[in-house]
Amino acid sequence: MSTTLAPRPTSGPAAPPPIRTSRRSFLTPRRRRTDVAGTVRVDQVITWLSVVNLVGVVGVMALLCMVSDEWWLSAALSFLPRAPWGIPALVLLIASAFRAPWMILTNAAALLVVAAPVMGFTTPAAAVPPARDSAITVVSSNIQFGSGQPLKLGMEFDRLHPQILMLQEAHAGTETFTKQLAGWSVVHVGEFLVASPHPVRLIEEFRFEPFERRAAILCEVALPSGPVRVCDTHLNTPRHAFGELHWHSPLTGAGIEAVTEFFALRKQEAAELRRFVEEGSAGLPVLIGGDFNTPAFSSTLTTTWQGFTNTFEAAGFGYGYTSPCNTDSRWPHNTPWVRIDHIFAGPEWSVHEAGIGTTDGSDHRLIYSVVSPDRI
C-alpha cells in the first residue's frame, strides 16, 4: 500500500529575520560616533591652548627681559616665582603626546622659553680664564640680623676661605663669626660689615636721602697685589610698595602710582650709587657686592652698571637664585626663586668663578666670586 503525501501549501518567499532592536546594539554605533567627535574636539582644544600658551610665555619673556622696571606690572612679575609659568606647557606637552602629537614641538618650545630666558638660566658668555696666583675669593651675604641659622653661614665661609667678606643686615648676629673673623681687619658701620685678613679702612658712606637710609659703604682693602676699593651695598626693597597693589589694581589703578613712584626713586638711588662708586674709586680696581634687591634682568640693574661685569653672568652656571630661602608653607623651604644679590667687578678684574651658597643660614643665599686684578 502506498501513501501519497499531500504537497505543503506554499506561502511565498521566506520572511527575513527580525531586526534586533536591543538597547546595546542600538546604542553602540551612536556611542562610537560620539567618541570620534569627542576626540576631534579634545585635539582642537589642545591645539588652541598650546598656541595660546606659547604666545603667552613669549609675552611674559618680553615683559620680564625687555620691559622690566619700565612698567609696574612687569616690575611686580619680576619678583614672583617664574617656574609656575611652565606648568601649563608641561601639562599640554603630556596631553599632546596622547591626543595631539603635532603640538609636541610647540609645547616643548614653550617649556624651553620658560626654563631658559623666563627663569633666567645663565651660562658663561665667554671662555672663563683660569685663576691666577693673585686671584681672591669675594663673598657677600645678607645675614638677616643673625636671626636665621648663622652657624650654617659660618661653615660656608670656612669652605670658601674668602679674602674679602661683605655682610649686609649685620646690625646683629656677627658674634657667630668670631672664629672666621679672628685676626681679621673689620670695618663695621650700621648694617654693613667688610672684613679681610688684609688691612681694611673705611673711605666713605653713601646715604640716599629720599629713602632716609644708609645704602652702602666704600672701603679700601690692601691686598698683597695692591689696594682695591670695595663697595658693600644694600638697596631698598620694593616689598612695601608692592604691598599697595591688590588683585583689582589693573582695573581700579589702586597702588599703581605708589609702585611707579617707588621704582623711579630706585632708579635714582642706583644712579647715585654708581656715581658714588666712580667718584670714590681713586683709579683703583673696584668691586661692588651686596643685596641689590633687584632681579638680574632688571633694566635698572643692567643700565646702571654698564661697564661693570656681573660676575655670576660671566662665570656662573644655572639660575643662581639667592632669595627667599625661608618661605611659608605655600612654597618649598630653602628653594629661592629670584637672584637679587650680586657682585659686580670693574673692568680691571678678570672673573674666574662665581656661584651661590647652598644652605638656608639666612633668608638669602650667599654669593661668591673668584677674581683677580688685571692691573693695580
Side-chain angles (χ1 to χ4, degrees):
M1 174 177 164
S2 63
T3 303
T4 303
L5 297 178
R8 293 182 179 180
T10 59
S11 58
I19 298 176
R20 299 181 63 185
T21 58
S22 68
R23 180 178 180 85
R24 181 175 181 180
S25 62
F26 178 75
L27 291 179
T28 298
R30 292 191 62 184
R31 185 160 57 245
R32 287 175 181 168
R33 287 195 297 271
T34 303
D35 289 345
V36 172
T39 300
V40 172
R41 286 196 297 270
V42 169
D43 294 349
Q44 290 175 342
V45 169
I46 293 174
T47 299
W48 280 106
L49 287 178
S50 300
V51 172
V52 170
N53 182 64
L54 177 60
V55 173
V57 297
V58 170
V60 170
M61 178 187 69
L63 286 176
L64 295 175
C65 301
M66 300 173 65
V67 180
S68 187
D69 297 349
E70 305 304 318
W71 187 33
W72 70 271
L73 181 58
S74 53
L77 289 176
S78 66
F79 285 86
L80 295 177
R82 303 184 183 188
W85 291 108
I87 294 176
L90 182 60
V91 172
L92 288 168
L93 179 63
I94 296 172
S96 61
F98 290 97
R99 305 300 290 267
W102 55 87
M103 297 308 296
I104 289 178
L105 289 180
T106 300
N107 291 308
L111 202 57
L112 182 62
V113 169
V114 174
V118 170
M119 293 180 63
F121 188 84
T122 299
T123 58
V128 179
R132 306 169 184 168
D133 293 338
S134 59
I136 62 171
T137 300
V138 182
V139 171
S140 173
S141 178
N142 181 323
I143 67 170
Q144 196 187 4
F145 312 106
S147 61
Q149 301 183 62
L151 288 176
K152 290 185 177 181
L153 286 176
M155 294 173 63
E156 293 207 272
F157 296 160
D158 288 338
R159 175 177 62 87
L160 293 169
H161 300 292
Q163 283 76 53
I164 297 177
L165 177 65
M166 293 180 279
L167 303 182
Q168 306 87 45
E169 291 192 3
H171 297 95
T174 57
E175 61 277 0
T176 308
F177 311 124
T178 302
K179 183 185 74 170
Q180 287 79 14
L181 301 180
W184 282 28
S185 178
V186 177
V187 169
H188 194 176
V189 180
E191 69 163 288
F192 298 103
L193 184 147
V194 176
S196 174
H198 311 292
V200 182
R201 67 184 182 95
L202 177 67
I203 301 299
E204 195 175 355
E205 303 176 23
F206 169 67
R207 290 187 60 86
F208 186 63
E209 294 304 332
F211 288 150
E212 299 180 345
R213 63 188 296 272
R214 183 189 293 112
I217 63 172
L218 183 67
C219 296
E220 182 174 299
V221 181
L223 297 176
S225 56
V228 299
R229 293 285 166 97
V230 175
C231 180
D232 186 7
T233 186
H234 185 188
L235 300 183
N236 204 2
T237 175
R239 186 186 312 118
H240 306 299
F242 288 146
E244 301 293 326
L245 296 176
H246 304 277
W247 65 267
H248 52 77
S249 292
L251 300 176
T252 64
I256 293 178
E257 183 177 355
V259 172
T260 302
E261 291 177 354
F262 180 84
F263 272 84
L265 287 175
R266 274 174 61 88
K267 288 184 180 180
Q268 182 182 344
E269 181 186 34
E272 291 190 14
L273 176 62
R274 168 74 185 250
R275 286 194 295 271
F276 168 78
V277 170
E278 289 180 335
E279 292 171 0
S281 66
L284 297 175
V286 177
L287 294 168
I288 307 100
D291 178 2
F292 287 74
N293 271 314
T294 310
F297 292 107
S298 160
S299 57
T300 298
L301 190 76
T302 55
T303 301
T304 301
W305 298 106
Q306 284 183 351
F308 287 79
T309 300
N310 187 319
T311 57
F312 188 85
E313 293 180 9
F317 183 84
Y319 297 108
Y321 296 154
T322 60
S323 180
C325 290
N326 304 327
T327 56
D328 57 28
S329 58
R330 290 171 292 182
W331 189 261
H333 183 74
N334 195 23
T335 309
W337 66 66
V338 64
R339 176 158 52 98
I340 59 175
D341 301 82
H342 310 279
I343 295 175
F344 285 91
E348 309 87 0
W349 297 89
S350 292
V351 183
H352 310 291
E353 183 182 345
I356 63 170
T358 58
T359 69
D360 57 343
S362 164
D363 59 347
H364 291 241
R365 287 186 178 173
L366 64 79
I367 54 175
Y368 72 89
S369 298
V370 178
V371 296
S372 60
D374 291 333
R375 60 181 177 84
I376 296 292

